[in-house]
Amino acid sequence: MCGICCMVSFAGCSIDRSCLQDNENLRRRGPNSSHQLIRHNPSHGYDCYFSGHVLHLRGPLTPQPLEDKNGNVFLWNGELFGGIEVQSADNDTQIMFQHLSSCDDESNIFSLFAKVKGPWAFIYYQANRHYLWFGRDFFGRRSLLWKFSDNLDKVFSLSSVSECSSEPDSDDWQEVPASGLFKCDLQSSAKLKCIELTWYPWKTAPEIPLTDESLLGQEQSQILKCSSTLVHIVLGESKWLTAPVTPLNKQIPGEITNLHNTGSQNKTAVEHLRMLITDRHKTNAQSLIKILSEAVKRRVLCLQRECSLMADSEKNANVAILFSGGIDSMILAVLADHHVPPEEPIELLNVAFMMKEQKPRKLKKRVPECSSQTGNLERPTVYSQYDVPDRITGRSGLEELKALNPSRTWKFVEINVTLQELQERRQHHICTLLRPLSTVLDDSIGCAVWFASRGIGMLASNDEMKPYVSTAKVVLTGIGADEQLGGYSRHRVRFNNLGYEGLLEELAMELDRIAYRNLGRDDRVIGDHGKEARFPFLDEDVVTFLNSLPVWEKTDLTLPRGIGEKLILRIAALELGLNVSSVLPKRAMQFGCRIAKMENCNEKASDACSRLMASSKD
């Protein structure tokens, strides 16, 4: 994982190099190596400034930017998890650069990126043609921003994250759409005094002509409309840039059968779930486990491990999981346990924001909501200010994991955040990582993920709580499960109002917009700690498998909460030996960790966040 940046000046004036060398946000993403490279091209009217900051995870440490004998320059923030062969001793940045340098025409470049499985954002300077190529993977799992400065210097900038700046144009950054590859003709741009961009969109359906703008997605249409006096974007032909996943199966059943009224009234939630499982359900769940397990395996094994003679409990963890005890994080923990070396600890990062109520009080029956149906759960009579719902389900999930594998060292890290620390960190740092996103939801989730992935908290040791700092460089997150399997309340609303057609429309939209709603933001806040976010539920093979299934085999919203949504995943959880967590209802992170209750509780998630606005002006 890396922080990458490129700035191009078309005015013949030098760019202040300190803006590359002193960008703390970039350096924090890549603590193991930082380098800059300048390419002067006065005869062609432009200069390029490249900056690379590397987090060393695979193969030999490879400083960036890379440059070959032909003057090509490469910046790579990604992982090759398939499609292109990488040996265990190889560095994937070098492998990608070797392939790119051997591409003799544009079709080869498109074919190369169409093969890649895994997250990526890249910048590639093709010297002999004066082209600057850049883009993000199909889901946008790695952040890349652009900015067009229409000032005397006429600077075009690309960066993993915006700079720490209070300058007037510091808010001009926008996310590069995860909609294909882009090419900037630098020589032409210098002559025309206008940035010439060609956009090559992903080819997702052979029957849709790529030149028909009316058939392109909303995000793609906006790209074509962003042409201005400074930027001119044209649509290019990219028939070789095929999407890495199959289209969503939009088959609709002939009729809807209500299954949960058939003798389930006196059953526990787990018994009810078991009663619903057909051979078809079981087969699909087992197939999902196999494919998802491989995705987790690639993400927990593709990293450097140091040999250590310390006792297992004292060894450093290399892998962490954003952990609420909910079904998504529980399944990731179980599958990670299958592949992480047995002597190595696994960190479970559990974040809680201080609740306003300070006096002890009785616990509500909240965890799980159907707990009276799942069996007896031990609950404390009173709890502290940090015993938020996700803390309680997290502890319950920890006990399930210990029962499945008592020999594993599970490090359940309790990360407690006060209102004062939240406000200070947001104002002085997190607000710049969230840019250009600025809604209440971005603030809540972005701050929660930042504190969780930082991993500074307390760990139980010998019956006492001791300070602990996470050592893992890889952080697994369950994002993508709800989007594909109908886990959000809006999915149930759409289904209740418009049936399967409405549900399928909503699910189709989810992955189309996940790049600019979630993934760029999450990559920026997790990467800020010198850690890499990895998303097993968005593995290309996992998405392809889930897309191939009819919607009613993945989710059944005629069933109650805690059972119907993400049905295939709940059945998979039972197959893996989980019980209580398999029937926990979905609870959004901002409510589970209680960050949404700390400040203004009357806000809407889609509102512009006044706290972020205020922070950006300070």
Side-chain angles (χ1 to χ4, degrees):
M1 194 276 292
C2 305
I4 61 177
C5 179
C6 172
M7 303 176 73
V8 185
S9 171
F10 296 101
C13 301
S14 297
I15 297 176
D16 182 5
R17 293 177 61 181
S18 64
C19 64
L20 292 176
Q21 296 170 340
D22 299 335
N23 190 333
E24 181 63 23
N25 284 345
L26 282 173
R27 282 213 308 267
R28 287 168 64 91
R29 292 177 62 87
N32 300 124
S33 171
S34 295
H35 290 276
Q36 288 76 42
L37 176 65
I38 302 176
R39 296 301 305 271
H40 293 296
N41 289 276
S43 60
H44 295 98
Y46 69 88
D47 291 332
C48 294
Y49 300 74
F50 303 95
S51 182
H53 307 264
V54 177
L55 171 68
H56 182 213
L57 290 173
R58 300 174 69 177
L61 176 61
T62 303
Q64 295 192 43
L66 291 180
E67 184 177 19
D68 66 14
K69 62 182 180 181
N70 297 318
N72 300 317
V73 179
F74 186 52
L75 290 164
W76 171 253
N77 176 25
E79 296 287 353
L80 295 178
F81 290 137
I84 295 175
E85 185 176 358
V86 181
Q87 300 296 329
S88 59
D90 292 337
N91 179 273
D92 60 333
T93 305
Q94 294 177 334
I95 297 296
M96 276 300 296
F97 193 31
Q98 291 168 8
H99 282 282
L100 264 179
S101 297
S102 65
C103 292
D104 51 13
D105 60 36
E106 293 180 353
S107 64
N108 296 143
I109 294 178
F110 300 143
S111 297
L112 173 64
F113 281 97
K115 293 178 186 176
V116 174
K117 292 183 178 181
W120 50 264
F122 80 100
I123 302 169
Y124 174 55
Y125 172 64
Q126 196 174 12
N128 63 338
R129 298 188 179 182
H130 304 282
Y131 290 162
L132 188 71
W133 293 88
F134 58 94
R136 301 165 67 194
D137 70 79
F138 186 76
F139 299 118
R141 290 164 288 186
R142 290 289 174 262
S143 172
L144 190 63
L145 311 179
W146 60 14
K147 181 171 70 172
F148 307 95
S149 300
D150 193 7
N151 50 31
L152 294 177
D153 292 334
K154 294 201 179 300
V155 175
F156 171 44
S157 304
L158 294 163
S159 179
S160 299
V161 64
S162 67
E163 71 269 26
C164 304
S165 173
S166 58
E167 295 300 319
D169 67 346
S170 64
D171 291 330
D172 291 344
W173 291 96
Q174 296 297 323
E175 290 188 328
V176 174
S179 300
L181 301 188
F182 294 86
K183 179 184 74 177
C184 180
D185 188 328
L186 301 179
Q187 186 170 269
S188 176
S189 297
K191 289 180 180 178
L192 298 174
K193 301 187 183 305
C194 171
I195 297 173
E196 289 278 306
L197 291 178
T198 305
W199 164 48
Y200 301 93
W202 291 103
K203 186 176 178 63
T204 56
E207 68 275 10
I208 298 180
L210 289 177
T211 55
D212 187 347
E213 181 184 342
S214 65
L215 296 176
L216 296 170
Q218 178 183 1
E219 180 185 355
Q220 296 175 333
S221 298
Q222 290 174 348
I223 297 173
L224 296 179
K225 293 176 183 176
C226 85
S227 300
S228 66
T229 55
L230 181 65
V231 185
H232 180 231
I233 300 180
V234 297
L235 185 65
E237 172 62 42
S238 57
K239 63 182 180 181
W240 298 277
L241 191 62
T242 54
V245 297
T246 59
L248 178 67
N249 183 335
K250 295 189 177 181
Q251 183 180 357
I252 295 176
E255 62 182 57
I256 299 175
T257 303
N258 192 320
L259 297 176
H260 66 280
N261 289 327
T262 56
S264 61
Q265 290 84 352
N266 297 321
K267 303 287 186 181
T268 68
V270 173
E271 289 172 340
H272 185 186
L273 179 58
R274 291 187 187 279
M275 182 183 69
L276 297 171
I277 299 174
T278 64
D279 289 342
R280 178 71 174 171
H281 283 135
K282 192 168 185 176
T283 299
N284 288 338
Q286 290 171 344
S287 296
L288 174 59
I289 290 171
K290 181 178 179 180
I291 295 168
L292 184 59
S293 180
E294 284 298 314
V296 171
K297 179 180 179 180
R298 288 189 285 269
R299 285 157 178 78
V300 301
L301 294 185
C302 288
L303 56 96
Q304 292 280 346
R305 283 181 159 83
E306 297 180 1
C307 295
S308 175
L309 299 178
M310 292 188 298
D312 290 359
S313 60
E314 298 175 350
K315 289 183 178 178
N316 287 340
N318 291 302
V319 174
I321 300 167
L322 295 186
F323 189 77
S324 67
I327 185 171
D328 307 339
S329 59
M330 285 293 291
I331 283 183
L332 292 184
V334 173
L335 295 179
D337 180 49
H338 291 178
H339 302 296
V340 171
E343 71 279 2
E344 188 177 299
I346 295 176
E347 293 175 344
L348 307 174
L349 306 178
N350 183 273
V351 66
F353 291 80
M354 180 186 287
M355 293 181 289
K356 294 180 182 178
E357 300 90 343
Q358 297 187 19
K359 60 182 180 180
R361 60 186 177 89
K362 291 283 185 178
L363 279 177
K364 296 179 181 178
K365 283 189 177 181
R366 178 65 184 84
V367 184
E369 290 187 2
C370 46
S371 58
S372 60
Q373 301 175 335
T374 60
N376 294 323
L377 281 179
E378 292 186 6
R379 296 190 194 86
T381 303
V382 296
Y383 58 46
S384 76
Q385 293 169 275
Y386 295 105
D387 276 335
V388 301
D390 279 358
R391 176 63 47 81
I392 300 168
T393 49
R395 289 170 179 158
S396 175
L398 173 63
E399 295 308 311
E400 280 202 85
L401 294 174
K402 287 180 176 178
L404 285 176
N405 187 359
S407 63
R408 170 73 67 186
T409 300
W410 300 98
K411 293 189 173 183
F412 183 75
V413 187
E414 299 190 9
I415 299 158
N416 300 329
V417 186
T418 64
L419 177 59
Q420 180 182 358
E421 185 178 17
L422 169 63
Q423 292 175 337
E424 289 177 353
R425 293 292 182 174
R426 176 199 288 126
Q427 177 181 354
H428 297 296
H429 187 58
I430 300 175
C431 66
T432 66
L433 301 173
L434 297 181
R435 292 174 188 158
L437 304 186
S438 59
T439 69
V440 170
L441 186 64
D442 294 316
D443 173 51
S444 295
I445 296 182
C447 290
V449 172
W450 188 87
F451 279 104
S453 56
R454 183 179 66 161
I456 297 178
M458 304 294 289
L459 183 70
S461 177
N462 297 324
D463 297 326
E464 64 176 320
M465 300 299 291
K466 295 182 178 180
Y468 182 81
V469 179
S470 168
T471 61
K473 287 186 176 182
V474 166
V475 178
L476 302 184
T477 169
I479 193 167
D482 291 301
E483 287 79 3
Q484 297 179 79
L485 301 174
Y488 293 119
S489 58
R490 61 178 175 266
H491 296 135
R492 193 173 287 272
V493 171
R494 289 279 283 181
F495 177 76
N496 290 339
N497 292 336
L498 298 170
Y500 279 108
E501 288 188 8
L503 175 60
L504 282 166
E505 281 183 11
E506 194 73 24
L507 292 177
M509 190 176 10
E510 293 287 2
L511 288 185
D512 286 342
R513 65 188 183 186
I514 197 172
Y516 64 86
R517 283 172 65 98
N518 304 92
L519 295 175
R521 175 200 66 209
D522 290 357
D523 177 66
R524 290 192 292 276
V525 296
I526 294 175
D528 186 60
H529 304 298
K531 300 173 186 285
E532 180 171 277
R534 294 183 175 178
F535 311 96
F537 285 106
L538 292 172
D539 179 270
E540 287 81 357
D541 293 341
V542 172
V543 176
T544 291
F545 170 71
L546 291 176
N547 276 357
S548 72
L549 296 178
V551 64
W552 64 89
E553 294 186 1
K554 298 181 286 188
T555 187
D556 186 347
L557 300 184
T558 67
L559 296 167
R561 289 186 69 235
I563 295 179
E565 73 276 15
K566 301 189 284 191
L567 178 62
I568 187 174
L569 203 59
R570 298 183 186 281
I571 297 171
L574 291 179
E575 291 289 305
L576 289 169
L578 298 173
N579 285 289
V580 172
S581 56
S582 70
V583 289
L584 284 176
K586 166 66 182 179
R587 183 174 51 234
M589 182 181 192
Q590 66 270 27
F591 300 116
C593 70
R594 285 298 189 257
I595 188 174
K597 301 288 186 180
M598 289 194 80
E599 294 168 291
N600 186 351
C601 299
N602 297 319
E603 299 168 313
K604 293 182 180 179
S606 58
D607 289 345
C609 183
S610 58
R611 295 177 296 279
L612 292 178
M613 304 297 180
S615 297
S616 65
K617 294 176 183 177
D618 292 338

